Amino acid sequence: MKLQNILGILVVISVVLALITPVLMVTINKRYTQQQGFVEFIESFMNKLVPYRNVICHYEYNVSKGLNVVIEISGGSIEVKHGIEAHKSKVVIYESSGIMLGFMRFRGLKRYNVDYDVKSNVLKVNVRGYHVELLIPRSIKSIRLYVNGGIAKLDIRSSELKSLEANLSSGTLEFGVRGAECLNLTIDVSGGIIDGNLELQPYTGTSNVTLSLSGGAMSLNLKIPSSIKVKCNGIVSAGIASVNINGIEAQHYIDMGYDKAHSKLHIMYRVSSGVADIKISR
């Protein structure tokens, strides 16, 4: 089979996945509770994609405090978590025999590139068709993640994280961020699936959560201290959006005293297609 034909088949598969994702998620939510359904689906999907792995390459860097990370995944997978060393980052590249990744064995379809710039303190990981394990220090400042038809899992526990940006196109993302203080979270989903948990510590300032969903499904749970005042507003042009604040269903909400508060959380969402479930609890 010619390479052009293979690429054509992959493009068709991506389009079909983007179209059927909302339907799949509705079915999943009928079989499970919403939270468990997302997690079990993602875990089973990852197990089928990556049944076993062999290390083919690894990198280690001495990094400065306030590390910035940029990740691009296409047709592969990545797991991001903290290492045990305070100023070191480690990247491990795995070869996989996963079902879908078997299509990537043709020359030019699989690649990886890892680079750390000391001057800007930026670590870049660009992977197509491989599995990556990324260990980062707790002194992480920002993460930018781009997933196109791949799978990503993030487990972050840091009070120094100030920005997390995730862009998904026909991919899946499971993330947990705990211990963050004043954080800017931006999520843009197009035909993908997200299951996220965010726990904030007391802080002074404004945290912003900006969500955009155009095809796919998103489940986001936010746990905040009682001292933080909340404002939530959004637009639903198509699809479904459920917003629950301390057990109260309200797509538009603002706490009394929000404008003059020292600690704020502003949630903005836009749903043009798909299903979004947002829960805020104190």
Side-chain angles (χ1 to χ4, degrees), residues 67-69 71 78-83 89 134-145 152-166 173-181 183 185 195-201:
L67 178 67
N68 301 286
V69 177
I71 301 167
I78 188 167
E79 183 176 3
V80 182
K81 56 188 178 181
H82 293 296
S89 185
L134 172 57
L135 302 180
I136 56 175
R138 296 189 185 274
S139 60
I140 180 78
K141 181 181 178 182
S142 70
I143 299 175
R144 277 189 291 161
L145 175 66
K153 183 176 181 179
L154 280 68
D155 185 10
I156 308 298
R157 300 172 183 268
S158 173
S159 62
E160 299 181 41
L161 181 66
K162 299 303 178 187
S163 176
L164 173 57
E165 178 183 343
L173 168 62
E174 178 188 352
F175 75 87
V177 176
R178 298 167 180 83
E181 295 182 357
L183 175 70
L185 172 64
D195 176 47
N197 290 278
L198 172 62
E199 295 183 13
L200 297 176
Q201 291 189 125

Side-chain angles (χ1 to χ4, degrees), residues 120-276:
S120 60
N121 198 25
V122 175
L123 174 62
K124 294 182 179 180
V125 180
N126 188 320
V127 175
R128 182 185 181 98
Y130 291 96
H131 174 75
V132 181
E133 183 180 67
L134 172 57
L135 302 180
I136 56 175
R138 296 189 185 274
S139 60
I140 180 78
K141 181 181 178 182
S142 70
I143 299 175
R144 277 189 291 161
L145 175 66
Y146 303 90
V147 181
N148 181 16
I151 301 170
K153 183 176 181 179
L154 280 68
D155 185 10
I156 308 298
R157 300 172 183 268
S158 173
S159 62
E160 299 181 41
L161 181 66
K162 299 303 178 187
S163 176
L164 173 57
E165 178 183 343
N167 295 270
L168 277 81
S169 176
S170 301
T172 65
L173 168 62
E174 178 188 352
F175 75 87
V177 176
R178 298 167 180 83
E181 295 182 357
C182 205
L183 175 70
N184 288 319
L185 172 64
T186 303
I187 297 176
D188 190 338
V189 182
S190 175
I193 303 169
I194 280 191
D195 176 47
N197 290 278
L198 172 62
E199 295 183 13
L200 297 176
Q201 291 189 125
Y203 60 84
T204 299
T206 302
S207 289
N208 293 290
V209 175
T210 305
L211 310 173
S212 178
L213 179 64
S214 56
M218 178 190 302
S219 174
L220 181 61
N221 290 282
L222 299 95
K223 187 175 181 180
I224 63 174
S226 58
S227 58
I228 297 177
K229 300 294 184 180
V230 176
K231 178 180 179 181
C232 180
N233 57 279
I235 298 173
V236 180
S237 58
I240 301 171
S242 171
V243 182
N244 186 295
I245 302 173
N246 279 338
I248 300 173
E249 294 287 339
Q251 290 193 350
H252 301 280
Y253 176 90
I254 184 168
D255 274 327
M256 185 178 296
Y258 174 85
D259 291 334
K260 296 183 179 180
H262 296 292
S263 303
K264 302 179 183 181
L265 170 61
H266 187 194
I267 302 168
M268 298 160 285
Y269 63 89
R270 178 185 294 273
V271 178
S272 58
S273 178
V275 179

Side-chain angles (χ1 to χ4, degrees), residues 95-111:
E95 176 78 60
S96 171
S97 64
I99 298 171
M100 286 294 293
L101 299 187
F103 287 107
M104 311 295 287
R105 294 187 182 278
F106 295 93
R107 182 176 298 178
L109 295 183
K110 294 182 68 175
R111 65 174 185 271

